[in-house]
Amino acid sequence: MDQYIGKLLDNRYELLERIGSGGMAVVYKARCHRLNRLVAVKILKSDLAQDAEFRRRFHDESQAVAMLSHPNIVAVYDVSHSDQLDYIVMELIDGITLKQYMQKKGEPLSWRESLHFITQIMKALGHAHSRGIIHRDIKPHNIMVLRDGSVKVADFGIARLASAAQNTLTQEALGSVHYISPEQAKGSHIDARSDIYSAGVVLYEMLTGRLPYEGDSPISVAIQHINSIPLSPRELNPDIPEALEAITMKAMAPRVDQRYLSADAMLADLEEFRKNPNINFEYTSADLLGGADEPTQVLGAGVGHAGRAAAAPAPRGEEQTGRPVRRRRVEDDLDDEGDNRRARGKSSSAPAVAAVGAIVIFLLAVIYFVWTVISSMGPEDVIYTVPDLLTGMTIEDAMNNKDLLGEFTVEKGKTLYDRTEPEGQIVDQDPKPGTTVKSGGLTIKVDVSGGDTNTYQMEEFHNRSASVAKATLESHGIYPVIEEAFDDVVTSTFVISQSVPKGTKLHPGDPVTLVVSKGPEKKSVAMISLITLTEEDARQKLHAAGLELGQVVPTYDAEAAVGTVIWQSVAPTVSVPEGTVVDVKISQGPDPSVSPPPDTSESPGTSPTSPDTPKKVAKVIEVELPSEPEMVDVVITVNGSEAGGGRFEDTPTNMRKIKPTIWGSGLNQEVCIYIDGVLKDTRYIDFVP
């Protein structure tokens, strides 16, 4: 059994079960007894905790991350050191990792679902980057998918620590290499754009169902990030829109200056794409796939000569289709080098060949010059006026109208999706109608309407989960207004009604209202007093009032009758919903461990006590508690000593008051009451029988 299960950290966090483990820490599900909520506690592994400098950075990084507050970032509540353990306390997430979600699906995510996830990831990164915090380890394993379809990014700032402890981390920590940026692989300076690259790899994996680079070892994968170009997403999945592919490849550009400048810039493109999936960002291959801007550095001691050779930059180019040409393998380059060496062995007559080549080139240049001069002496260019094709005709109509076109030809340009223009109709042309051009520029490029295809047909969401309905609408660019109402039939959090009927065609941004059930409306009842009742009487009285008895806590009390209620969690006369659960405390009588010193004056075998020795007398006092904070420490002294009073730590203030028993002897004894170390009350009490 795990040695930490059941352990109470800082007298507050009770470790319940182990829920995960990573290269640096072990994660436990825990209960915070002070706030009565479940949390996640991440405990630093013992081998790393031995390094004082690493522990200092662990605390500094965690404190910085604790300042982040965003709905798409896992919240950090506390950072502490207790019983030789360094740990952080985080929000406990009810969900699975994005990696588990993709594995569970077993196929690429739809581009709409991928857009839904990556948008939330970039919002989280934008918030963190604006506060100077770089994640450094964005991967699906660090992204949590909640039941409502939202995501939260975890482990901010932890990757910086991992680099400081790389000598102690195991192979488990190398899983991030599939998502590492080229500059991280080189050991170069990194900034927020490294996170953008990793987010691009995550988007690539969601869209295609595979990683851009695979290899036999982490080193080989890292070298591919530096030198290679992945298959374009649409080659693996033709259903991916071109614009989303462009966003993915720009985020994964090998050079940092060719990526998005910020997470917000990438988020802006994602929003533009969401509004119009057929948008053309017109990113060129030079924008996305330029060569590396600095030499490759050695990854570590594990990289041998072969690894360094493979890290050298490879040539780039473009095919006529505009698609980037993949880098050649290192083995191909070595083969070419061997061919060159063999060629040099056969070049003894190279000077003579070079001279002949120079003469041929000179003659060709003279012929070209003469031809150019003769061509320029022809008649002047004829001026033509560009016809108007924006008269409601289709591209086929224009091509067939020779009288209108004259010497011009028509070439199809972009397809634009428009609500008003019919499909196939020409909506723009270049050059514009009425402009003049010379002969040689007689081609008109026209943009054609694709019709009103960017629509969503409204579904029936009645009696379906509101979170599912909301996620579905948002994936189509429709952000519904949520209204809540009581309903005796529809389950709580499910949709009662919708403002738009099923089958209605909607466009991004169209208004939709969903009315969501809060369940049956509960009646309010006045809380009754349970003080002095027995447990069974209290249960029956609560049941008759429409309330329920909750936790029953036995408590020592020197004044109340044994078995009677001395405290209730809800004050009498307060209005509460029907079905409210009420906790109570039941008296067990005086605390047997708190008793006066035994009177030994009559005990056999002992000498009689001096008649001048005062007898200890017990007194029950009442101490008022403040309304906040939730827990306080109470210390009571009698004549400056706790011996006759006592210490009452972590006392809940919702008890309102406590009635401790104190001991003393004599008249006019000074009793001081301290709450959280501050003197709150001084009393003078006569301790007489």
Side-chain angles (χ1 to χ4, degrees), residues 612-626:
D612 296 328
T613 302
K615 293 183 65 175
K616 293 287 185 179
V617 176
K619 292 287 184 179
V620 177
I621 65 173
E622 187 173 277
V623 178
E624 295 284 344
L625 299 177

Side-chain angles (χ1 to χ4, degrees), residues 386-418:
V386 178
D388 185 1
L389 307 183
L390 304 177
T391 57
M393 67 178 67
T394 66
I395 187 171
E396 290 79 10
D397 294 338
M399 289 179 174
N400 295 328
N401 194 337
K402 299 301 181 182
D403 294 336
L404 176 66
L405 288 178
E407 299 297 323
F408 287 90
T409 59
V410 177
E411 177 183 325
K412 184 177 179 181
K414 302 175 184 177
T415 299
L416 303 178
Y417 293 90
D418 191 283

Side-chain angles (χ1 to χ4, degrees), residues 252-264:
M252 290 177 59
R255 285 174 45 178
V256 293
D257 58 354
Q258 292 172 329
R259 292 177 213 153
Y260 287 102
L261 293 176
S262 65
D264 290 340

Side-chain angles (χ1 to χ4, degrees), residues 174-239:
L174 293 176
S176 304
V177 75
H178 289 97
Y179 307 89
I180 195 172
S181 67
E183 58 271 19
Q184 286 176 287
K186 297 175 186 178
S188 305
H189 169 76
I190 68 172
D191 58 21
R193 289 171 291 182
S194 298
D195 283 350
I196 293 174
Y197 181 93
S198 299
V201 177
V202 173
L203 178 56
Y204 184 104
E205 184 179 7
M206 287 192 292
L207 291 170
T208 66
R210 55 171 282 182
L211 291 161
Y213 303 117
E214 295 284 4
D216 297 332
S217 68
I219 297 300
S220 66
V221 175
I223 290 173
Q224 290 181 71
H225 279 287
I226 298 171
N227 285 339
S228 301
I229 300 171
L231 285 169
S232 68
R234 282 171 55 81
E235 288 185 51
L236 299 171
N237 183 1
D239 294 334

Side-chain angles (χ1 to χ4, degrees), residues 79-215:
V79 185
S80 186
H81 174 80
S82 171
D83 298 330
Q84 305 305 313
L85 296 178
D86 292 88
Y87 65 90
I88 58 178
V89 182
M90 306 177 300
E91 175 184 7
L92 181 65
I93 301 299
D94 182 17
I96 59 176
T97 67
L98 179 57
K99 189 70 174 180
Q100 292 169 327
Y101 182 84
M102 289 190 287
Q103 291 171 343
K104 187 176 180 181
K105 281 234 170 182
E107 60 184 14
L109 305 187
S110 70
W111 67 262
R112 294 185 186 277
E113 193 170 20
S114 302
L115 174 65
H116 176 66
F117 288 149
I118 194 63
T119 298
Q120 297 179 72
I121 294 169
M122 298 315 297
K123 287 179 180 179
L125 291 179
H127 177 78
H129 294 169
S130 69
R131 284 151 179 77
I133 295 177
I134 305 171
H135 192 289
R136 296 177 172 81
D137 194 20
I138 289 294
K139 56 184 178 181
H141 314 67
N142 286 336
I143 298 166
M144 302 299 299
V145 180
L146 280 64
R147 293 181 182 274
D148 63 357
S150 61
V151 302
K152 287 181 179 283
V153 182
D155 282 354
F156 267 94
I158 301 304
R160 182 202 295 266
L161 300 172
S163 64
Q166 57 186 351
N167 292 331
T168 61
L169 295 183
T170 63
Q171 182 71 21
E172 185 178 6
L174 293 176
S176 304
V177 75
H178 289 97
Y179 307 89
I180 195 172
S181 67
E183 58 271 19
Q184 286 176 287
K186 297 175 186 178
S188 305
H189 169 76
I190 68 172
D191 58 21
R193 289 171 291 182
S194 298
D195 283 350
I196 293 174
Y197 181 93
S198 299
V201 177
V202 173
L203 178 56
Y204 184 104
E205 184 179 7
M206 287 192 292
L207 291 170
T208 66
R210 55 171 282 182
L211 291 161
Y213 303 117
E214 295 284 4

Side-chain angles (χ1 to χ4, degrees), residues 24-38:
M24 295 172 50
V26 180
V27 184
Y28 294 87
K29 180 180 180 180
R31 178 176 295 280
C32 172
H33 285 275
R34 183 167 297 177
L35 299 178
N36 192 28
R37 66 180 176 186
L38 294 175

